[in-house]
Amino acid sequence: MPEVFSRASLSEKWAKSAQYRLIDENETRLFGLRRLDQRFLKLKVRSKCNLVQSQVFSEKLKTTLNAYHNRAISTAQVIEELIALAKELDAATKRIEALGLTDDEVAFYNALAANDSAAAAMGDDKLKLIAAELITQVKKSLSIDWTLRESARARIRVMVKRILNKYGYPPDLQNVAVKTVLTQAELPCAAWV
């Protein structure tokens, strides 16, 4: 015999099924957010030693969250943007692995390649050579208080300019590159000295 449903029992069953759908959606979102959180933890760890990459991804994250806080985008759009950002982070990680550089070399490579026109003019191979030489020479030149003493900073600044000139880094972009390299060198310097 077919089951007879009253309007009240239909509403109750519908509410329960809708509640389960919400739980499933929320659990799915929570799972997705946990996965994103793991990826952004990698970014946080990387930001301690890679200035340029952390600035790029932090700016994108701030832009997304500001748009959300200003109610310009919905929660679903925030999650989509975070997923896109996580994919960009994964692509950057794969690109780094393809370059075959150490973490320190990647950080200096990114500092040199921050200017797109310089990166296009120099090419990956030359930037990799410059980054490797910068690591070697900067590590040799560091002293414990080099970030505090202007004379030590000036010596390293001159050394960086010489290396950039040696490999033909565009002169009009050197000042910005030197500043970025020095700022980058300050991040991991505690482990080097």
Side-chain angles (χ1 to χ4, degrees):
M1 181 164 176
E3 190 174 349
V4 179
F5 293 103
S6 69
R7 187 172 210 163
S9 67
L10 276 176
S11 297
E12 187 176 306
K13 285 187 179 191
W14 180 83
K16 283 183 181 179
S17 67
Q19 183 180 10
Y20 290 128
R21 273 192 307 232
L22 282 176
I23 289 172
D24 289 342
E25 287 176 19
N26 287 337
E27 285 178 8
T28 303
R29 284 184 182 159
L30 185 60
F31 176 74
L33 288 174
R34 284 186 186 143
R35 297 255 345 249
L36 287 173
D37 190 41
Q38 291 170 352
R39 288 181 179 162
F40 287 115
L41 277 175
K42 289 179 188 176
L43 173 63
K44 187 175 181 180
V45 169
R46 194 177 296 161
S47 71
K48 291 181 181 178
C49 62
N50 195 326
L51 173 75
V52 174
Q53 194 174 37
S54 71
Q55 287 176 341
V56 168
F57 285 110
S58 294
E59 187 60 37
K60 289 180 180 182
L61 183 60
K62 283 180 189 176
T63 302
T64 300
L65 293 178
N66 284 341
Y68 174 71
H69 289 301
N70 294 333
R71 298 178 191 251
I73 59 175
S74 68
T75 305
Q77 289 170 318
V78 169
I79 292 172
E80 288 174 13
E81 298 238 356
L82 291 176
I83 290 169
L85 189 58
K87 286 180 182 178
E88 282 183 51
L89 183 61
D90 287 342
T93 302
K94 288 178 184 172
R95 183 174 172 271
I96 287 167
E97 290 170 359
L99 288 172
L101 300 173
T102 66
D103 288 340
D104 291 336
E105 289 171 340
V106 167
F108 280 83
Y109 175 90
N110 286 340
L112 294 169
N115 188 314
D116 293 334
S117 62
M122 298 294 295
D124 282 344
D125 292 333
K126 254 190 182 176
L127 289 178
K128 286 180 0 181
L129 286 172
I130 296 171
E133 188 168 340
L134 281 172
I135 290 291
T136 305
Q137 295 301 320
V138 168
K139 281 183 178 181
K140 284 181 188 176
S141 301
L142 293 183
S143 60
I144 292 174
D145 61 347
W146 81 273
T147 57
L148 304 175
R149 289 189 11 237
E150 188 55 40
S151 62
R153 289 180 63 82
R155 189 179 70 246
I156 293 173
R157 188 178 307 114
V158 168
M159 181 211 36
V160 170
K161 283 184 180 182
R162 283 185 184 151
I163 292 171
L164 294 178
N165 283 332
K166 175 182 171 182
Y167 288 97
Y169 197 88
D172 57 328
L173 304 173
Q174 278 187 9
N175 287 336
V176 175
V178 169
K179 287 178 186 175
T180 309
V181 167
L182 284 175
T183 307
Q184 175 59 54
E186 290 174 4
L187 294 179
C189 71
W192 291 352
V193 177

